[in-house]
Amino acid sequence: MSQKKTYYISADIEGITDVTSWEETIRGGNGYDASCIQMSKEVAAACQAIIDDGSEVVVRDGHDSALNIKHELLPKGAKLMRGWACHPGSMLAGLDEKYSGVLCIGYHAASGTDGSPLAHTVEHEIVNWIKVNNKLASEFTLNTLYAAQYNVPVIFLSGDKSICDMASEEVNGIQTVAVKECRGNSTFNIHPETACDMIYDAVTKAIHMEIAPIKVPEELVLEINLKDFQKARSSLALPNIKLVDVTTVKYIAKSPTELNIIREFIMS
């Protein structure tokens, strides 16, 4: 008997259907509970597609406190990782070679783009933009690189149209579901139930496709433009970080794990 495949879901909230304002993403904020419920439902749709195929699934709650997804709304059999693990994988904590693929739910436009009123990369209050090898990087970009070092492909993404377009450029064959388009500070959303149906169908397709991991470059040139010049200067305490200008720092990493560790140090 062949061994069951196991898939890894990384979930965020800013790219969930109807989520439009920062208040809706913060514990205690107006609309936050509704955001968590829809986040849970969209994750559940992806889980159900995987389980219906006879595979196993681990879900990583990857937003803010990492305590947003309601486990009882996921199908039986779905394992949920809650809270932060002090792990360099961050939104992919615990990922390794045993996983057959990564799926991203609720992802969002990158810092430095106008693809969402909630566009950011990692820390919206600290970072103006992040670049890797001179290209704007999203959380999807960083996580795809991290997964690739374990030879694990990222096979599916749902979120706003901007991040879906970026994902399609970065990963050949990836399946995406754009649950909303954004203009200025507004979002144009498909119906929440339709979003879940589309996610189920696209995930079912994705897990039967041959999607290859991206190739990890030998060098990863990390540039971070920070909102605060003092934070840029304080990051120089670590060797090999260079100041590009008063708010931009640069570091050359040899692996995605090193890139993540240095990135976290700079923003800490």
Side-chain angles (χ1 to χ4, degrees), residues 110-113 119-121 123-130 136 224-228 247-248:
S111 290
T113 74
H120 70 282
T121 304
E123 293 287 353
H124 77 275
E125 294 179 344
I126 296 174
V127 172
N128 286 321
W129 50 257
I130 295 177
L136 278 178
I224 302 181
N225 182 263
L226 298 149
K227 296 181 186 292
D228 181 3
T247 56
T248 307

Side-chain angles (χ1 to χ4, degrees), residues 9-239:
I9 293 177
S10 173
D12 208 347
I13 207 168
E14 289 88 357
I16 295 296
T17 310
D18 287 334
V19 177
T20 304
S21 72
W22 290 113
E23 188 176 15
E24 293 173 315
T25 73
I26 300 168
R27 185 176 298 276
N30 184 30
Y32 169 75
D33 289 341
S35 298
C36 289
I37 290 171
Q38 184 61 22
M39 180 186 186
S40 302
K41 289 180 177 179
E42 292 182 22
V43 170
C47 289
Q48 194 64 62
I50 292 167
I51 291 169
D52 286 350
D53 191 61
S55 298
E56 297 180 340
V57 60
V58 172
V59 177
R60 202 292 175 258
D61 189 328
H63 172 69
D64 194 37
S65 65
L67 303 173
N68 312 279
I69 294 171
K70 300 180 183 300
H71 204 169
E72 68 272 15
L73 296 181
L74 305 186
K76 287 183 179 180
K79 295 179 181 178
L80 176 62
M81 188 187 308
R82 307 179 77 234
W84 293 108
C86 299
H87 187 283
S90 187
M91 296 174 77
L92 296 183
L95 184 79
D96 58 25
E97 297 88 347
K98 73 173 176 286
Y99 289 94
S100 297
V102 171
L103 301 92
C104 301
I105 304 290
Y107 273 48
H108 51 79
S111 290
T113 74
D114 62 356
S116 167
L118 305 176
H120 70 282
T121 304
V122 188
E123 293 287 353
H124 77 275
E125 294 179 344
I126 296 174
V127 172
N128 286 321
W129 50 257
I130 295 177
K131 290 183 180 180
V132 175
N133 292 351
N134 207 36
K135 290 186 176 180
L136 278 178
S138 64
E139 291 168 16
F140 170 82
T141 307
L142 300 171
N143 291 339
T144 300
L145 283 166
Y146 186 84
Q149 70 184 334
Y150 295 108
N151 202 37
V152 179
V154 181
I155 63 174
F156 173 82
L157 176 140
S158 66
D160 57 57
K161 184 177 183 299
S162 177
I163 193 61
C164 287
D165 290 344
M166 179 177 276
S168 295
E169 290 178 3
E170 294 181 358
V171 178
N172 186 36
I174 190 172
Q175 298 299 295
T176 65
V177 172
V179 301
K180 57 190 171 187
E181 292 189 43
C182 307
R183 302 174 196 169
N185 283 326
S186 64
T187 62
F188 291 72
N189 304 269
I190 63 177
H191 191 277
E193 291 182 13
T194 302
C196 292
D197 291 342
M198 291 176 67
I199 289 169
Y200 179 93
D201 291 343
V203 170
T204 299
K205 182 178 180 181
I207 60 179
H208 289 106
M209 295 180 66
E210 293 294 331
I211 300 172
I214 65 169
K215 184 178 180 180
V216 180
E218 290 184 7
E219 286 189 343
L220 297 164
V221 181
L222 173 68
E223 293 177 273
I224 302 181
N225 182 263
L226 298 149
K227 296 181 186 292
D228 181 3
F229 73 91
Q230 292 283 19
K231 185 166 284 293
R233 289 187 64 84
S234 66
S235 70
L236 299 178
L238 195 71

